[in-house]
Amino acid sequence: MKTKNFFKILTLAVIVLFQSCSDDEEIAVSGLCPLVTSTIPTNGALNVPFDQVISVTFNKQMRTSTITNESFTIEGLSPIEGTITFEDDASGTTVKFTPSNNLSEDTTYTGRIKTTVKDQEGNALQVAYVWSFTTGITIRPIVLATDPIDEATGVPLNKVITATFSEAMNPLSITNATFSLMNGTTAVPVTFDYFGALVTFTPTVNLLPNTTYTAIIASGVQNLSGVTMASDYEWTFTTGAIVAPFVVFTDPLNNATNVSLNKVIRATFSEVMNPTTINNSTFTLMNGTTLVPVSFSFTGAMVSFTPTSALLENTTYTATITTGAQNPTGNGLTANYVWSFTTIGSAAGIPDIGSLDDIASFGGNAGVTNQGINTVIINGGIATTAASTLVTGFHDGLTGAIYTETPLNVGLVSGGIYTAPPTPGNATTFAIAQQALLDANALYIALSPAAMPGGIDPGAGELGGLTLAPGVYKSNSGTFNISNGNLTLDAQGDPNAVWVFQTASGLTVGIAGPTGAKSVNLINGASASNVFWQVGSTAIINSAGGGVMVGTIVTNSGVTLSTAGNTVQTVLNGRAISLVASVTMVNTTINVPN
């Protein structure tokens, strides 16, 4: 009987224990009372996202009516508002607090669960649960660079302003409200363009000379995530004075004679011009009082004027470029530029060289190489249908582009460099090179024995020491040499005298040794523009350096002017044209004849 009573008393004690929670922590942990088992974010968490949903997980199901904005609070610098929801899981033990607004950056928040929360049996949390966490710092976009830079001077009047940000920006946030260009208190209208993190601002009118402008990017600009800059970005720059363009040189030169009847007239300016201002009003070509119609084309700073019909023989023409010719900023020449030239007396027997008229060297599809520090191409350009990387040791006198120059390989090309891409080669320069190749092939055929038969070989292949009248000369052995002395070409008073030399294999000028250089001399009115060499393989011109070679050399397989290590200048008054191989020169001067 006593045993039964003991078990009844024990059972009643257990029931009472489970019906009310104890303040004893061990009893609470045993599962009788509710406890917070985890939180998101955890206590002490750092760099918490601004849109964080805060959650608390209990050890048992809770009575939802006891969990409210009074019993579950989040407080930063002040209490924040939010919505409380309960996770729909099997246990129903997780409650979430969703802030009404994003959390503030770099702020420590304190979460608190009060003892008024209860479980399903009505047992209360015995001790308030308190924890804290800290949000991260917003990574805001910044301006890394501008063009012009801050306090820049001498800025061109047609300057396109750019700003490079630390990341790609939202184009919709780049507007006249967030970017302004000011001349004092006057806003300058601009248009916008976007290239990832680069934004361009193009004034709709030219800037004023000698004027300080202020550019402002407002903090309202946003990245792709909607984050703004921390503050406005402001910089200033000052424009330069008006610089008028001028004519650097012309082809033909002023007072040139024996100009070919199919001559393309060219003028190279000090800068790229506005094509719309180069027209029949600003350029005229006159035969006395008769206007000669021309068409226009543009290559960088060079403008070509092509007569629509052949020029007349033995006629003086006057070309004029007026002050109406302007650069892109609207500045014109300060005075009319006028020059004259006279055509040849007769075109008979002179081969048509087409676009090669302005090409000093053509390197087929293999390139053009300079290996000296003093190579100069005067009044002409170089070209190849190869990539621009196969032109080495030169810089373009028209554009300033550099083609693999080193301190030991420096060459100036006054008339432009024309190649296939990559940059600085482009579609325009490649088209010019392709036309040069077509004209080179046509000239090679026009100079061949099939087209010009009857050539003689007065020196059995050796031209040195001879004086030759105009005519066609063909090597019987397949090679021509100029090694026993200089070659003299005597026009006998005829300025239109033509010499054509044909060799099925090679052409060699000069011999080894410091005094081995040989030259071609012109007398009695002979012109370098009327001397042609058709070479079946390779031409080697004064490999020891020095000498003066004359004429347009057209080879199948390459031209070499001097060799590496020679410092004495080698001169070619003519052109070095190769159909399928490269042209190499060392300390060479090439003068392109008119």
Side-chain angles (χ1 to χ4, degrees):
M1 191 70 179
K2 291 181 179 180
T3 302
K4 288 182 180 180
N5 291 334
F6 171 78
F7 279 106
K8 285 182 180 180
I9 294 170
L10 179 62
T11 301
L12 290 172
V14 170
I15 292 172
V16 170
L17 179 64
F18 274 86
Q19 285 180 340
S20 62
C21 284
S22 170
D23 291 336
D24 190 321
E25 186 177 351
E26 291 184 0
I27 295 177
V29 170
S30 69
L32 296 178
C33 295
L35 289 174
V36 174
T37 59
S38 65
T39 62
I40 298 176
T42 59
N43 186 39
L46 302 175
N47 295 318
V48 173
F50 308 134
D51 59 351
Q52 178 70 57
V53 174
I54 302 157
S55 67
V56 176
T57 299
F58 294 88
N59 64 333
K60 58 195 307 186
Q61 274 189 318
M62 302 298 290
R63 184 177 296 177
T64 59
S65 62
T66 67
I67 302 178
T68 67
N69 289 108
E70 293 293 327
S71 59
F72 182 1
T73 61
I74 303 295
E75 185 171 343
L77 299 177
S78 61
I80 66 172
E81 297 180 356
T83 302
I84 293 177
T85 56
F86 298 88
E87 188 172 280
D88 185 18
D89 59 9
S91 62
T93 59
T94 298
V95 58
K96 293 183 178 181
F97 181 96
T98 303
S100 300
N101 299 295
N102 279 351
L103 303 177
S104 300
E105 66 176 302
D106 195 22
T107 300
T108 298
Y109 288 87
T110 299
R112 181 175 281 102
I113 305 295
K114 296 181 180 179
T115 57
T116 56
V117 301
K118 297 180 179 180
D119 62 15
Q120 294 286 352
E121 290 78 25
N123 299 313
L125 188 71
Q126 296 300 294
V127 179
Y129 187 87
V130 180
W131 81 108
S132 63
F133 56 88
T134 303
T135 53
I137 298 175
T138 302
I139 300 177
R140 297 182 180 276
I142 60 173
V143 177
L144 297 178
T146 61
D147 181 21
I149 61 174
D150 188 29
E151 298 185 354
T153 58
V155 174
L157 306 186
N158 63 338
K159 183 65 178 176
V160 174
I161 302 160
T162 69
T164 302
F165 291 85
S166 56
E167 57 185 301
M169 302 300 286
N170 180 356
L172 296 179
S173 72
I174 307 291
T175 66
N176 288 308
T178 56
F179 176 84
S180 57
L181 180 64
M182 305 298 295
N183 173 12
T185 59
T186 302
V188 179
V190 298
T191 59
F192 307 94
D193 208 350
Y194 314 90
F195 305 91
L198 177 71
V199 181
T200 65
F201 313 98
T202 304
T204 57
V205 294
N206 283 337
L207 304 177
L208 300 176
N210 298 317
T211 301
T212 297
Y213 289 86
T214 300
I216 303 170
I217 299 176
S219 59
V221 297
Q222 302 175 358
N223 64 13
L224 298 179
S225 299
V227 178
T228 63
M229 294 201 309
S231 60
D232 292 354
Y233 187 90
E234 181 175 321
W235 76 105
T236 63
F237 59 87
T238 303
T239 53
I242 294 176
V243 178
F246 58 92
V247 177
V248 177
F249 62 85
T250 62
D251 178 24
L253 296 172
N254 188 33
N255 297 324
T257 58
N258 292 323
V259 175
S260 61
L261 304 186
N262 62 345
K263 182 66 178 176
V264 175
I265 302 155
R266 293 183 172 91
T268 300
F269 292 85
S270 56
E271 58 183 302
V272 175
M273 302 296 284
N274 180 352
T276 63
T277 67
I278 307 294
N279 50 50
N280 289 310
S281 297
T282 58
F283 175 83
T284 57
L285 180 64
M286 305 294 295
N287 172 12
T289 58
T290 301
L291 179 68
V292 179
V294 298
S295 61
F296 305 90
S297 62
F298 307 86
T299 305
M302 183 174 68
V303 181
S304 298
F305 313 100
T306 304
T308 56
S309 59
L311 302 177
L312 302 178
E313 301 174 8
N314 198 28
T315 300
T316 297
Y317 289 86
T318 299
T320 302
I321 301 174
T322 73
T323 57
Q326 301 175 353
N327 63 14
T329 62
N331 300 320
L333 275 65
T334 57
N336 290 353
Y337 189 90
V338 182
W339 77 105
S340 299
F341 58 87
T342 302
T343 56
I344 60 176
S346 172
I350 300 178
D352 181 9
I353 64 174
S355 64
L356 298 177
D357 190 39
D358 294 303
I359 298 296
S361 177
F362 181 78
N365 60 359
V368 182
T369 299
N370 165 48
Q371 297 177 351
I373 63 173
N374 192 29
T375 292
V376 182
I377 309 298
I378 299 174
N379 196 32
I382 64 175
T384 177
T385 56
S388 61
T389 53
L390 293 184
V391 174
T392 61
F394 292 100
H395 60 277
D396 191 326
L398 296 182
T399 66
I402 296 175
Y403 293 73
T404 323
E405 268 192 337
T406 71
L408 299 179
N409 301 305
V410 179
L412 167 63
V413 183
S414 64
I417 299 176
Y418 307 99
T419 74
T423 301
N426 53 50
T428 299
T429 60
F430 185 41
I432 292 172
Q434 288 178 307
Q435 185 60 52
L437 176 60
L438 293 174
D439 292 339
N441 278 299
L443 179 59
Y444 185 83
I445 294 170
L447 297 173
S448 67
M452 289 188 174
I456 61 173
D457 188 355
E462 175 58 58
L463 300 176
L466 300 179
T467 297
L468 300 179
V472 177
Y473 297 89
K474 176 185 175 184
S475 170
N476 293 330
S477 64
T479 61
F480 269 135
N481 298 310
I482 304 176
S483 57
N484 291 345
N486 296 332
L487 168 63
T488 300
L489 304 181
D490 184 358
Q492 301 173 351
D494 180 5
N496 299 311
V498 175
W499 291 261
V500 175
F501 297 89
Q502 303 163 339
T503 166
S505 185
L507 168 65
T508 302
V509 178
I511 59 176
T515 61
K518 305 301 176 188
S519 299
V520 176
N521 299 322
L522 303 177
I523 63 174
N524 295 323
S527 171
S529 62
N530 294 343
V531 180
F532 298 89
W533 304 81
Q534 197 245 19
V535 182
S537 60
T538 304
I540 300 174
I541 310 301
N542 287 321
S543 61
V548 178
M549 182 59 181
V550 167
T552 297
I553 305 168
V554 188
T555 76
N556 183 70
S557 306
V559 182
T560 299
L561 296 118
S562 188
T563 52
N566 292 328
T567 58
V568 179
Q569 202 76 2
T570 299
V571 176
L572 169 61
N573 292 324
R575 302 172 182 82
I577 308 297
S578 172
L579 302 183
V580 297
S582 64
V583 175
T584 301
M585 55 192 81
V586 177
N587 291 326
T588 298
T589 297
I590 301 182
N591 297 295
V592 177
N594 291 321

